[in-house]
Amino acid sequence: MSNKPFILSNKSEDKKEFEAMINKTMASFFRTIDDESAFSGINPYVLRKEINDLGFLPEKGIGFDETMKKVEEIILPNLLRTWSTSYMPHLHSPALLETIASELLIAAFNDSMDSWDQGPAATEVEEAMIHGLLNLYGYKEGADGCFTSGGSQSNISAIIAARDWYLGEKFGLDVKKRGIDGTPLTLYTSEISHFSMDKGCHILGLGYDAVRKIPVDDRCKVDINAFKAMVEGDVDNGFYPFAAVATIGTTDFGSIDDIKAMREICDKYGMHLHADAAYGSGAIMSSKYRERIGDLSLADSITIDFHKMFLLPISCSALLMKNGKKLECFELHADYLNREEDEEDGYINLVGKSMQTTRRFDALKVFMAFQTRGKDGFDEMITKVIDNADHFWSLIKDDPDFIVPVKPELSSVVFALTDGDEVNKRVRRRLLENGTVIGQTVMNGKVMLKFTLLNPNLDFSDFPALIETIKKYRDIERERA
Ligand SMILES: *Cc1c(COP(=O)(O)O)cnc(C)c1O
């Protein structure tokens, strides 16, 4: 073995080598971040060629230093810098400092969450954090949860659990063993909900058509009367409504569905109500705005994303289930992994609650962030980003150059220049080429721009210059047209 040392161990030579690598990595990183822009602005064709020229698998390893040189020259400068206050297109956050440190520990130990013997403290920390989260969101005794790879997986897991439970309760069908039986199931969610519901229903063999898209009102929230009418109509036509999803913070607008009203309809028809709070879950930390997300404990399950408002590194999400037994749909015993006799002696194996087998110790990031910042730290950061959205909205709502159709409830503002689709698109592209990355979406067939504000370093004082830049680029595009 010519490249020794190669694995981190207790040997002092390995520790030294690792420390040197980390120091070199940090040095490259710090040399790279030398301005405030979010992106180098490089053309995609140029970047593609440069990346391909780096090569795939050399005959002979070039060693860490040479590798780091390539990384520093070509890759790092053209990565997206999530910490930049000029980055605001997506629900894609910068990472809190201590959670980047926790990622180092997660990778260095490389413990896994599937069985207790692969991550003893990891298993116990995850369970303790899940317990804390159940309390935080108002769930009582009997609830359970699990960390997942992201909001999509949390949502799909919730739909699986809801489907299996519904068919079991209603028809005594053991879906795990016998599969689905062709019962025409339907799921209800708003027309602007996240596409993971469609993906989920496809994966479950129900198909996109099983996802009933409820129209939204002028504040982009589920139209409750329409929801009711759709469920009634489907029941009359022989369908079986098994679940509904309330979006607690839609991906574009941050609009929040009325969970209480949706609960009433779900109760009437024996449906599982899932709260997709991938975005809005963070608002629970804001004493000023917490009320806006409603009482999430009314939902039967909740998706939380920590890699959005909570500012943790990708990926980190959790699914909470009010009736923990519904998570048993993922339980399966393997002789080599999760023996029942071990579980009786307290060696719990979290693989039984998850779609995944090998799974990262993401709960450590939540633990370290919660301990480091505390309630007050998160309150301040999350209140600030919602305040920012409110402030930006107040600056442009009466400006004749802009339209802003929906008053923000979370940290996103969807707006447009009054000049039409082409100018809006070109202004966004021009901003990108100059290192400011903003969002673009469509509302009622019109191109809209979007600020998704997750970075608490952005201040009220930053907005006037941003608005000026947008108008300046608009003027250039007007002249070109
Ligand atoms: C981001 C988002 C998701 C998907 O979460 P991932 O972590 O990206 O998989 C689901 N629902 C909503 C409302 C979201 O904003």
Side-chain angles (χ1 to χ4, degrees), residues 91 149-153 155 194 196 247 249-251 276 278-279 305 307-308:
L91 287 166
S149 64
S152 302
Q153 197 196 345
N155 286 341
H194 193 261
S196 46
T247 310
T250 54
T251 309
D276 176 6
Y279 180 7
D305 254 2
H307 54 224
K308 289 179 176 170

Side-chain angles (χ1 to χ4, degrees), residues 396 399-403 415-431 434 438 449 465-481:
I396 61 169
D399 185 330
D401 288 338
F402 292 104
I403 41 171
F415 64 99
L417 287 154
T418 48
D419 292 68
D421 290 359
E422 272 319 298
V423 169
N424 279 291
K425 283 189 205 170
R426 289 209 214 110
V427 165
R428 188 198 67 93
R429 181 68 66 81
R430 195 174 281 273
L431 285 163
N434 288 282
I438 72 167
L449 303 175
L466 262 167
I467 294 170
E468 277 319 297
T469 307
I470 288 173
K471 288 187 179 180
K472 189 177 85 190
Y473 290 167
R474 186 253 342 248
D475 293 342
I476 298 171
E477 294 304 337
R478 265 185 187 165
E479 242 158 69
R480 282 188 35 182

Side-chain angles (χ1 to χ4, degrees), residues 34-45:
D34 54 1
D35 70 33
E36 287 172 0
S37 66
F39 174 53
S40 65
I42 191 170
N43 174 284
Y45 296 107

